[in-house]
Amino acid sequence: MDLLLLSNSRAPGQEFLAHALDEIDDFLGANRRLTFVPYASSDHDGYTAVMAAALAARGITVVGVHTVADPRQEAARAEAVFVGGGNSFRLLKALYATGLLETIGDRVRAGELRYLGASAGSNMAAPTLRTTNDMPIVSPPSFETFGFVPFQINPHYLDPAPASTHMGETREERILEFLEENDVPVLGLREGAWLRVDGAVARLGGVNGARLFGRGSEPAELVPGEDASHLLSTTPRYDLTG
Amino acid sequence: MDLLLLSNSRAPGQEFLAHALDEIDDFLGANRRLTFVPYASSDHDGYTAVMAAALAARGITVVGVHTVADPRQEAARAEAVFVGGGNSFRLLKALYATGLLETIGDRVRAGELRYLGASAGSNMAAPTLRTTNDMPIVSPPSFETFGFVPFQINPHYLDPAPASTHMGETREERILEFLEENDVPVLGLREGAWLRVDGAVARLGGVNGARLFGRGSEPAELVPGEDASHLLSTTPRYDLTG
C-alpha cells in the first residue's frame, strides 16, 4: 500500500500544493497521470482546474473523475488517485453514491493504486470520519471510510490558543472527547505536515510535526522525519460505551 | 410550544448558567421541577450536579433523566426539560437509544412540555444536526433531530478573526458550505444570546445578537430583543444536490 496523506493543500503565503510538490512528484514516480476526486468541493470543474494548474509544471496530467462517463471504470484503471479536501461529509456521501469507496478502496489495499489525500481526503484513509473538523452539511449512509490505516487522522491540527476567550472546545478537547467513546490513536497532523506510508513503514514528513493522542495516555509529539510505523499495527476499538 | 434555546451555558468569567438565570426562572414560571438530559456529556452525574447547583438558589429542583429507572416515563410526566450541551452526536445517539427523541419531541410539539436547551441541546431543536460545531465522535442512526423550529441553529456562533493565519474554514465559511447543499436559514447565536419561542412568536434575547444566513442572500444581523417570528414559517429544503 502506498499512501501520501497531507494535512492541507494550501499553506499560508504559498500557491496551492506548492509546499508538497516535491513529495508528490517523488510519490508518483514514473507515472505522470493522476486521477483527481473533487467531490469534497461543490465546484468540481473549478477545483480540478486548480489541481491541474498546480501539477502541470511537473508534467503531471490531472483527470477529474467527475468528467468521465464511468468514474468507477476510471478508478479501476488509474495508477494514482488524489482525493482533495473540502467537506468530508460531502466527500464521503459521494464516495458511497458513486461506488468509488469500494473501487478505490479495494485497489489501494491490493497495492495496485497509489493514494494521495489532502485534508478531507486524508480523513478518508482512516477507518472512520469521526475525527474530521468539518460541519456535517449532508448525511452519508455511514461514517465508515477507506480504513487504509487502523488509526484516526485529524488534519489541520491546531494547538490550543491560550489567549482565546471563546468558550467553544479546542481541537485537543474535541479529540479527547473522541477518546472518551473510542480507543483509537488520533494523529493530529499540523498544517504543513504529512504522513507517507510505504507498505509496513510510515513516516512523518513536511514541517511542523504532529501530535499523537491515545486513550489513557499523555499526548506525544512526532517530529518531521520520525518513524510512525508502530501506528500501523494498532487495533482500533470504537464505541466503547455502546 | 415553549422553547428557550441558549447558545452557551457558561459565559466567560461567570458561573455556570449565571448569564441566563433570570430568563430560565421566568421561562419555568410556577413549575420548579426540571428534568435534565445530560447525555451530551460523558459524566452524567457530574453534569447533573453542576446544573442542580446552578439552579438551587432559584428554588429549582433538577432531576437527572439518567437516574430514573425509565427515562421515557420521566419525560412523559415532566413539565419542563433541559437538554444540556456537550457533544451533539453523542447526545443524539442517546436520544435515539433511549426513545427520548420521540417522547420529548411529541410532548413539546403538543405544548405539554417546555423545552430548554443549551449548545448541543439547542442544536436538537432544529430539524437536523447539520449545523453543529461538534466532532462526529459517535454515529447516531440519523441526523434528524426534534425539529421544533423549521430552520437550523448554530450555537457559539463566532465571527471570523481577520488576523488568523490558520487555513481551516471560518464558521461563516462552514455555514456557507451548508447552504451550498441545503436551502434552510441558519441562525448563528453568538455566545450570550438565546432564542425564546412562545407559540408563533420567536424573539432573540441575551447579549451579542445573532447572525442569520440564508441561501442566496447576504447574512443579516439580529439584535437582542428583535422579533424573529418570521423564521417559524420557513419551509426548509435539504439535499438540493441529491
Side-chain angles (χ1 to χ4, degrees):
Chain A
M1 223 166 33
D2 290 299
L3 313 173
L4 176 56
L5 308 174
L6 308 176
S7 174
N8 53 307
S9 44
R10 192 185 291 276
Q14 289 191 54
E15 294 293 310
F16 187 80
L17 275 187
H19 71 293
L21 269 188
D22 288 345
E23 188 77 13
I24 292 171
D25 206 342
D26 179 72
F27 180 76
L28 291 176
N31 172 52
R32 297 283 106 179
R33 186 177 184 279
L34 184 60
T35 300
F36 180 54
V37 178
Y39 296 137
S41 164
S42 63
D43 178 9
H44 302 164
D45 288 339
Y47 197 9
T48 304
V50 166
M51 181 65 61
L55 297 174
R58 304 291 177 124
I60 299 163
T61 305
V62 171
V63 179
V65 77
H66 67 292
T67 63
V68 301
D70 184 348
R72 292 189 77 160
Q73 196 172 51
E74 168 65 23
R77 72 189 187 100
E79 288 185 46
V81 66
F82 193 127
V83 180
N87 185 285
S88 314
F89 291 90
R90 178 159 54 198
L91 171 58
L92 185 55
K93 186 181 173 189
L95 290 175
Y96 275 102
T98 55
L100 288 177
L101 193 76
E102 192 183 348
T103 309
I104 293 175
D106 288 349
R107 293 197 65 226
V108 171
R109 274 184 290 270
E112 299 166 2
L113 177 63
R114 288 169 192 268
Y115 184 92
L116 268 144
S119 191
S122 294
N123 269 130
M124 296 299 121
T128 79
L129 193 61
R130 297 187 187 198
T131 50
T132 178
N133 306 310
D134 296 335
M135 194 172 258
I137 61 172
V138 295
S139 182
S142 161
F143 284 0
E144 281 183 41
T145 43
F146 289 122
F148 300 140
V149 295
F151 53 91
Q152 289 291 134
I153 290 169
N154 180 251
H156 302 281
Y157 179 73
L158 191 65
D159 294 289
S164 174
T165 58
H166 179 61
M167 301 301 280
E169 295 87 0
T170 65
R171 187 70 55 80
E172 173 162 336
E173 285 166 346
R174 288 168 192 271
I175 293 172
L176 295 179
E177 227 173 40
F178 167 82
L179 291 171
E180 288 173 351
E181 303 292 334
N182 309 282
D183 186 1
V184 186
V186 182
L187 185 66
L189 288 172
R190 291 198 184 84
E191 297 201 332
W194 58 72
L195 187 74
R196 186 156 167 181
V197 178
D198 180 358
V201 177
R203 193 172 298 279
L204 197 66
V207 295
N208 299 326
R211 199 156 172 85
L212 179 65
F213 297 86
R215 184 176 160 95
S217 59
E218 285 295 308
E221 278 297 313
L222 270 73
V223 297
E226 189 161 338
D227 189 293
S229 306
H230 63 286
L231 286 173
L232 298 176
S233 53
T234 294
T235 303
R237 292 172 59 229
Y238 292 91
D239 294 316
L240 299 175
T241 60
Chain B
M1 225 167 32
D2 291 297
L3 314 173
L4 176 56
L5 308 174
L6 308 175
S7 174
N8 54 308
S9 43
R10 192 185 293 274
Q14 290 190 53
E15 295 291 311
F16 187 80
L17 276 186
H19 71 292
L21 269 188
D22 288 346
E23 189 76 11
I24 292 170
D25 206 341
D26 179 71
F27 180 77
L28 292 176
N31 171 54
R32 296 284 105 180
R33 186 178 183 280
L34 184 59
T35 300
F36 181 56
V37 177
Y39 296 136
S41 164
S42 63
D43 178 8
H44 302 164
D45 288 340
Y47 197 8
T48 304
V50 166
M51 181 64 63
L55 297 174
R58 303 292 177 122
I60 298 163
T61 304
V62 170
V63 179
V65 77
H66 67 293
T67 62
V68 300
D70 184 348
R72 292 190 76 160
Q73 195 172 53
E74 168 64 23
R77 72 188 187 101
E79 288 185 44
V81 67
F82 193 125
V83 179
N87 185 285
S88 313
F89 291 89
R90 177 159 53 197
L91 171 58
L92 185 56
K93 186 181 173 188
L95 290 175
Y96 276 102
T98 55
L100 288 177
L101 192 77
E102 192 183 348
T103 310
I104 292 175
D106 289 349
R107 292 196 65 227
V108 170
R109 275 185 289 270
E112 299 167 1
L113 176 62
R114 287 169 192 268
Y115 184 92
L116 268 145
S119 191
S122 294
N123 269 130
M124 297 297 122
T128 79
L129 193 61
R130 298 187 186 197
T131 51
T132 179
N133 306 310
D134 296 335
M135 193 172 259
I137 60 172
V138 295
S139 181
S142 161
F143 284 0
E144 283 185 38
T145 44
F146 289 122
F148 300 141
V149 295
F151 54 91
Q152 289 291 134
I153 292 170
N154 179 251
H156 303 280
Y157 179 73
L158 191 65
D159 295 289
S164 174
T165 58
H166 178 59
M167 300 301 282
E169 296 87 1
T170 65
R171 187 70 55 80
E172 174 162 336
E173 285 166 346
R174 288 166 193 271
I175 293 173
L176 295 179
E177 227 173 40
F178 167 81
L179 291 170
E180 289 173 350
E181 303 291 334
N182 309 281
D183 186 1
V184 185
V186 182
L187 186 66
L189 289 171
R190 291 197 184 86
E191 298 202 331
W194 56 72
L195 187 74
R196 186 157 166 179
V197 178
D198 181 359
V201 178
R203 193 173 296 280
L204 197 67
V207 295
N208 300 328
R211 197 155 173 87
L212 180 64
F213 297 86
R215 184 176 161 94
S217 59
E218 286 295 307
E221 277 296 313
L222 272 73
V223 297
E226 189 162 338
D227 188 293
S229 306
H230 64 285
L231 286 174
L232 299 175
S233 53
T234 293
T235 303
R237 293 172 58 228
Y238 292 92
D239 293 317
L240 300 174
T241 60

